[in-house]
Amino acid sequence: MMLDNISDKPINILLVEDDDVDLEKILRLLHKALLKLTIVEASSAAETMELINNQQFDCAILDYQLKDAMASELIRKIQNHKSAPTPIIMISGNSDERVIADLMRDGVFDYLPKRHLDAGQLTDTLSASLKWAESERLLKEDRLRFNQLAEGLPQLAWTCLPDGRCDFLNRRWCDYTGISEQEQLGYGWLNQLHPDDRDPLQQAWTKAVISGNEMYTMFRIRRYDGEYRWFDTRAVPQKNDKGEIIRWLGSNTDITDIELTRQALANSEQLFHTAFDYAPLGMMMVNLDGTTIQANPALRQLLGYESSPNSSAMPGLLALVHPEDLSNTQFQLEKLRIEKLAFAQYETRLLAEDGHSVPVLISLAFINKVAGEPCYLLQVYDLSERKRYELQLIKLAHFDPLTGLGNRAKLHEEIEFLIQKSRRNSAPFGVLFGDLDHFKQINDGLGHEAGDLLLKTVARRLQKALRHEDSICRLGGDEFVVLLHDVTKFEAVVTVAEKLIKKINKPIRLGNNKVHVGMSFGIALYPTDGDDAKTLLRNADSALYDAKGKGRGCCQLYRKELTEYVHNRLRMDTDLRKAINNDEFELYYQPIINLQTQQIVSAEALLRWHHPTRGMIPPNDFIPYAQESGLISPIGEWVIQQACRQAAEWHNNGFPLSVSINVSVRQFEQHNLLQLFSQALTETKLTAEKLVIEITEQMFLENTESNLKQISELKSIGINISLDDFGVGYSSLSYIVRFAPQYLKIDRSFVSRIGEAKEHDEMVNAIIGLSKIIPMKIVGEGIEEESQRDFLASRGCDLGQGYLFSRPLPQDKFIELLRNRTR
């Protein structure tokens, strides 16, 4: 899968550092990174070698100088300890530029000085190294597929970089020259060229590089026995999404027989007839109007006329040429005769006797007189194998190897084609940007093989549901883009999107498992929503965000305000990440009162964000996004540490209060809550009984068994559980009995309506009465009036919380409140 979000993937880090102080500092900085890290420590080169022999790591962080070796001695061994590339980040106090340059040459990804090293710098470098490693892995896979394809070709195949340096030669090339690939890489292969052919090759290469088009030329290559043979050479440029050439893919076909035959014409007519009849390549002679004078056996066999030895049974040249190529053939014949050229070469298609077309290369020569009349001599070389090879190369460059759909480069080509077509014919088209809902859970839960099978099944369903003229591409991961041609009104696009969603919603069998997946689509229309590929895709992606926000499994048309919405989300993401590193968060505390004694017995920790430019940001403005993006996890860890530390401080100052912490569904999905809370309690020396975890009714509906197991583990060490916002969800008594919370909070919406209606008051009574069935304390939330407090106290409600007693207060104000209450 493509690395779309580094923070979602578990990452194994090897940390090699023999100084305890530096080790502690680096560990602290790594724990601030918004990444799922598993850190394995080593303090020596020997220990490092043992670890890499038994484990695999995604990245290594090394101190430059160790007690038993220089870290530079470990670079190559770490890089090669597994098949995938392993980036290495070197951290040291050595600032010698020569040392740094040597390390970078040895393959170190980056070099960071220990002095002034901060979490942001380390996180950015770590993220960049992981993205580089993933990119290198994908490139290696593509390269492997290409090499496997090239090794199966009968031609001499090669690739070179934009500057002309060769970086791959297939086995047939090396077998032909008798020289190892290593000796011929770079510019070494030029040593096998005939000296007279090097300048023409350089001219052809320069012309191709300037134009960005295919290169076609001929030159001689020395064989292992010293003989030079002629080769027809073609190089196809491979381009990235920006249209930049990143590599040339080339092949060489032995055409020595063609060249020898052509040269035979100058020797003697007898030699010519011998070469003509026995040549292994197709040859024919035609008069000026195209009538066949003679065709050799090789050509008859190629086109299926070998059963008819008479020349009269062989159609004329113009009848053999594919109708779409006829004008070019006539042009080549006329040009050769009028301009008195020695010969000409061009590609075309000839029709076989059974009607199928054969791609060929024709070498054409004009002969003044044969049997008393001028004629043309054609040498015909079958290009079927080469065309299949080129087609495979094109498929490799433009199609997704997993699903067979077009890839990102193909998508941009398709959109540009539709834009040109629309400008000519005023034919609008639609762009549907979609991805699967909850694909990551299936991929992680059932494995990548199941995930790949799911993607292939989805691709087939999408293809079957579309018209033949419509197209679909896969961008990577679970992202697909559908292009609907000739759209007259947006209602039709919505109808198609809804049809696709229904197709995907049907159950999919993955081995022994049957799964249900949904799909969401964002829709942009040309030209109203953009006049180029980049804008259309960006706006369709914006609409997809909106569709997901509406509950997933639906489609949404692009609206201009969505762009601002997406920009706000991106800004929120950036600001939240900075807030974590810059300590912009603060905890406020709202007291919880014993309604009988009026004493403060505990406090709820509430998160506040002091933005450096926007001031205080309300929790409702950033908590939902933090939960959706996963940033709630590092924020939640900070809250746990801070709240436990604060409660321990209250206890030391003579205020033995409990503290309540809100825990989100996303945090429960991490499955490490027990470790986080245990670590916080140990470090702050707070007793577990003074800690209350508040969860919502939503916890009952998602991953019930897993959440129940984690809650049981937390309760087993003494932590209390409080069920928050009770009454507004869909929980049943059976769930409450299973979770057995120590506290239950009556939602503020019930408390605010006390005294309005008899049936409403009875409902509050019933909730308070649950404590007689299940042993737990009842908390009234959102108390703002004395009548509400008196009602709850008279009905047996244990605790109360709300503005009547106090608003949430910063730490210093809360301590002042405690002291005033005590006095």
Side-chain angles (χ1 to χ4, degrees):
M1 296 299 301
M2 183 172 286
L3 191 60
D4 296 324
N5 193 336
I6 290 287
S7 63
D8 287 342
K9 304 187 71 172
I11 302 161
N12 294 324
I13 301 293
L14 172 62
L15 175 56
V16 184
E17 173 60 69
D18 58 3
D19 186 285
D20 292 342
V21 175
D22 289 337
L23 175 65
E24 183 179 354
K25 176 184 177 181
I26 296 172
L27 285 172
R28 186 171 66 252
L29 296 177
L30 285 173
H31 285 310
K32 290 185 178 181
L34 302 178
L35 304 170
K36 298 179 181 178
L37 302 179
T38 299
I39 303 172
V40 179
E41 302 168 23
S43 59
S44 66
E47 189 178 354
T48 301
M49 289 301 300
E50 183 177 354
L51 286 172
I52 63 177
N53 288 334
N54 296 291
Q55 298 184 47
Q56 292 191 354
F57 298 95
D58 298 310
C59 180
I61 300 176
L62 277 68
D63 184 13
Y64 174 65
Q65 188 167 2
L66 303 173
K67 293 177 181 177
D68 58 342
M70 300 296 288
S72 57
E73 300 172 17
L74 299 174
I75 292 175
R76 193 65 59 191
K77 294 175 182 177
I78 293 175
Q79 287 174 332
N80 299 322
H81 87 287
K82 62 174 184 175
S83 59
T86 305
I88 297 175
I89 301 171
M90 192 73 73
I91 298 181
S92 176
N94 192 322
S95 59
D96 189 329
E97 293 183 356
R98 290 173 299 177
V99 171
I100 297 173
D102 289 341
L103 290 172
M104 300 303 285
R105 278 194 297 270
D106 289 341
V108 168
F109 178 79
D110 205 349
Y111 186 97
L112 301 179
K114 285 185 178 180
R115 183 178 297 177
H116 307 308
L117 182 65
D118 59 44
Q121 182 186 21
L122 183 57
T123 301
D124 291 344
T125 304
L126 181 58
S127 298
S129 72
L130 295 171
K131 290 179 180 177
W132 168 84
E134 179 66 6
S135 174
E136 288 295 308
R137 184 186 68 80
L138 294 175
L139 185 62
K140 184 177 180 181
E141 289 180 359
D142 285 344
R143 196 74 181 146
L144 178 61
R145 284 194 292 270
F146 169 79
N147 290 353
Q148 291 171 342
L149 172 65
E151 291 296 356
L153 292 173
Q155 289 89 2
L156 312 185
W158 51 273
T159 67
C160 73
L161 302 175
D163 60 4
R165 287 181 295 113
C166 179
D167 62 346
F168 168 77
L169 295 167
N170 72 347
R171 188 182 66 256
R172 287 188 181 274
W173 181 294
C174 298
D175 290 346
Y176 174 83
T177 60
I179 300 173
S180 69
E181 180 186 19
Q182 197 61 37
E183 293 180 68
Q184 299 184 85
L185 292 179
Y187 299 109
W189 67 277
L190 291 171
N191 296 328
Q192 317 313 316
L193 264 63
H194 195 288
D196 295 344
D197 298 339
R198 294 182 183 180
D199 286 343
L201 172 60
Q202 181 62 45
Q203 293 171 9
W205 171 256
T206 303
K207 182 178 178 181
V209 170
I210 293 174
S211 66
N213 298 324
E214 297 180 9
M215 181 188 76
Y216 172 75
T217 187
M218 293 168 51
F219 54 79
R220 286 163 287 182
I221 304 175
R222 184 173 57 206
R223 199 166 59 181
Y224 61 88
D225 58 2
E227 179 187 352
Y228 283 98
R229 294 184 65 83
W230 283 96
F231 282 85
D232 160 46
T233 300
R234 172 176 300 251
V236 179
Q238 184 182 14
K239 302 179 181 180
N240 60 19
D241 295 345
K242 299 178 181 178
E244 301 167 337
I245 297 176
I246 58 174
R247 180 172 279 102
W248 291 80
L249 314 176
S251 66
N252 300 66
T253 304
D254 192 332
I255 58 166
T256 304
D257 292 333
I258 295 177
E259 196 59 24
L260 290 177
T261 304
R262 187 178 69 82
Q263 294 172 5
L265 292 173
N267 295 333
S268 69
E269 186 175 348
Q270 182 180 2
L271 183 60
F272 162 72
H273 284 298
T274 302
F276 184 91
D277 291 335
Y278 293 98
L281 72 157
M283 298 181 66
M284 70 184 302
M285 295 175 61
V286 299
N287 60 22
L288 297 187
D289 64 6
T291 303
T292 300
I293 299 174
Q294 188 176 358
N296 75 342
L299 181 62
R300 294 176 182 278
Q301 182 179 7
L302 176 63
L303 300 180
Y305 289 95
E306 65 268 28
S307 59
S308 305
N310 298 324
S311 60
S312 58
M314 191 80 170
L317 174 61
L318 301 183
L320 287 172
V321 175
H322 193 286
E324 295 178 3
D325 300 345
L326 188 57
S327 60
N328 182 50
T329 295
Q330 292 173 325
F331 168 77
Q332 296 289 347
L333 292 170
E334 194 69 14
K335 179 181 178 182
L336 184 70
R337 185 176 62 85
I338 294 175
E339 297 184 11
K340 297 181 180 180
L341 302 176
F343 74 100
Q345 284 186 328
Y346 68 98
E347 289 186 15
T348 188
R349 290 168 290 176
L350 298 182
L351 298 176
E353 188 176 28
D354 60 6
H356 81 275
S357 61
V358 180
V360 295
L361 170 70
I362 290 183
S363 181
L364 185 66
F366 179 72
I367 303 175
N368 284 325
K369 284 188 179 182
V370 172
E373 63 174 327
C375 68
Y376 297 102
L377 173 66
L378 288 79
Q379 298 167 315
V380 183
Y381 185 82
D382 183 8
L383 295 182
S384 300
E385 281 296 320
R386 173 186 282 183
K387 291 298 179 183
R388 279 193 287 271
Y389 164 61
E390 290 177 354
L391 187 62
Q392 287 175 301
L393 289 180
I394 292 172
K395 189 172 182 180
L396 186 66
H398 291 84
F399 291 87
D400 172 40
L402 177 64
T403 63
L405 301 176
N407 59 13
R408 188 180 297 271
K410 180 67 173 176
L411 174 64
H412 280 267
E413 283 187 8
E414 290 280 338
I415 294 178
E416 291 301 328
F417 169 77
L418 289 177
I419 289 174
Q420 297 302 323
K421 175 184 174 183
S422 181
R423 288 172 179 170
R424 290 193 305 268
N425 305 329
S426 298
F429 63 90
V431 179
L432 279 65
F433 199 125
D435 70 6
L436 298 176
D437 299 331
H438 307 301
F439 170 71
K440 184 178 184 299
Q441 287 88 327
I442 295 174
N443 203 39
D444 292 347
L446 300 181
H448 293 296
E449 289 185 5
D452 289 347
L453 178 58
L454 173 62
L455 292 172
K456 289 192 282 189
T457 304
V458 168
R460 286 197 303 271
R461 289 188 179 182
L462 292 174
Q463 285 177 304
K464 289 181 179 179
L466 294 171
R467 299 174 299 178
H468 177 72
E469 62 267 25
D470 296 329
S471 54
I472 175 172
C473 297
R474 176 181 174 230
L475 296 190
D478 61 336
E479 293 182 337
F480 296 85
V481 174
V482 175
L483 301 179
L484 299 181
H485 298 212
D486 302 325
V487 173
T488 55
K489 52 184 180 180
F490 71 83
E491 290 90 342
V493 183
V494 172
T495 301
V496 172
E498 291 175 345
K499 175 185 175 183
L500 296 177
I501 290 170
K502 289 180 181 179
K503 286 283 186 183
I504 300 304
N505 277 339
K506 295 179 181 179
I508 296 176
R509 181 166 292 281
L510 304 176
N512 297 325
N513 300 288
K514 184 182 287 186
V515 300
H516 290 77
V517 293
M519 196 164 194
S520 304
F521 282 103
I523 302 170
L525 302 175
Y526 177 87
T528 56
D529 296 332
D531 57 2
D532 59 66
K534 183 178 179 181
T535 304
L536 286 167
L537 289 172
R538 183 183 67 240
N539 291 343
D541 193 19
S542 296
L544 175 60
Y545 271 107
D546 194 38
K548 289 182 175 181
K550 293 181 181 299
R552 301 177 182 269
C554 63
C555 63
Q556 180 65 41
L557 287 159
Y558 171 73
R559 299 194 313 270
K560 287 184 172 58
E561 57 266 28
L562 283 179
T563 302
E564 182 179 354
Y565 165 71
V566 172
H567 288 168
N568 288 339
R569 287 172 61 89
L570 292 173
R571 185 165 59 249
M572 175 69 74
D573 189 279
T574 301
D575 289 353
L576 272 177
R577 294 179 190 276
K578 289 181 180 178
I580 296 170
N581 293 327
N582 298 339
D583 295 328
E584 296 173 11
F585 293 115
E586 181 182 3
L587 288 184
Y588 277 41
Y589 300 91
Q590 187 174 32
I592 298 175
I593 309 296
N594 184 314
L595 294 180
Q596 306 304 320
T597 65
Q598 300 301 306
Q599 294 299 309
I600 299 175
V601 295
S602 65
E604 180 179 0
L606 299 167
L607 187 63
R608 296 294 184 265
W609 180 10
H610 295 282
H611 193 281
T613 58
R614 297 162 60 190
M616 184 73 79
I617 300 180
N620 289 342
D621 287 356
F622 71 89
I623 292 294
Y625 176 77
Q627 291 176 335
E628 179 185 342
S629 64
L631 292 174
I632 195 66
S633 298
I635 294 174
E637 293 179 21
W638 179 86
V639 170
I640 293 170
Q641 287 284 345
Q642 190 69 18
C644 289
R645 186 177 296 109
Q646 192 57 68
E649 185 178 326
W650 295 336
H651 185 81
N652 294 335
N653 291 332
F655 302 108
L657 306 181
S658 298
V659 65
S660 299
I661 301 173
N662 291 282
V663 177
S664 70
V665 176
R666 191 66 178 262
Q667 289 174 276
F668 267 89
E669 291 175 352
Q670 289 185 275
H671 302 291
N672 67 339
L673 280 179
L674 180 64
Q675 177 185 350
L676 291 176
F677 279 106
S678 297
Q679 181 178 349
L681 291 172
T682 301
E683 291 178 357
T684 60
K685 299 180 181 179
L686 179 69
T687 58
E689 292 75 13
K690 294 298 182 182
L691 185 59
V692 180
I693 296 177
E694 296 199 3
I695 61 176
T696 63
E697 288 184 278
Q698 185 183 2
M699 294 290 299
F700 295 146
L701 306 177
E702 299 186 12
N703 301 318
T704 302
E705 297 303 325
S706 173
N707 292 339
L708 178 59
K709 180 177 180 295
Q710 291 192 81
I711 287 175
S712 298
E713 292 173 345
L714 293 168
K715 291 172 67 176
S716 68
I717 65 172
I719 295 176
N720 295 300
I721 305 298
S722 175
L723 178 57
D724 197 11
D725 301 333
F726 182 77
V728 297
Y730 301 95
S731 60
S732 66
L733 288 177
S734 64
Y735 277 129
I736 300 176
V737 171
R738 292 185 67 191
F739 276 81
Q742 284 90 355
Y743 298 90
L744 184 147
K745 278 190 170 184
I746 306 173
D747 186 69
R748 65 182 65 249
S749 62
F750 284 87
V751 174
S752 65
R753 294 169 59 192
I754 288 175
E756 292 183 3
K758 180 181 178 181
E759 58 271 17
H760 178 77
D761 292 351
E762 289 300 324
M763 179 67 74
V764 176
N765 258 334
I767 296 174
I768 296 173
L770 290 175
S771 63
K772 298 177 182 178
I773 304 172
I774 305 169
M776 58 186 175
K777 293 184 181 296
I778 307 298
V779 184
E781 193 175 23
I783 301 174
E784 298 184 2
E785 300 174 5
E786 292 186 1
S787 60
Q788 297 167 354
R789 177 197 61 191
D790 295 341
F791 177 90
L792 293 170
S794 66
R795 300 310 194 271
C797 182
D798 303 288
L799 307 172
Q801 178 181 359
Y803 288 175
L804 177 66
F805 309 111
S806 173
R807 291 178 175 273
L809 301 171
Q811 162 61 11
D812 55 345
K813 297 291 184 182
F814 185 76
I815 287 289
E816 185 178 336
L817 173 67
L818 290 176
R819 288 172 177 159
N820 290 338
R821 281 269 185 166
T822 302
R823 287 195 293 268

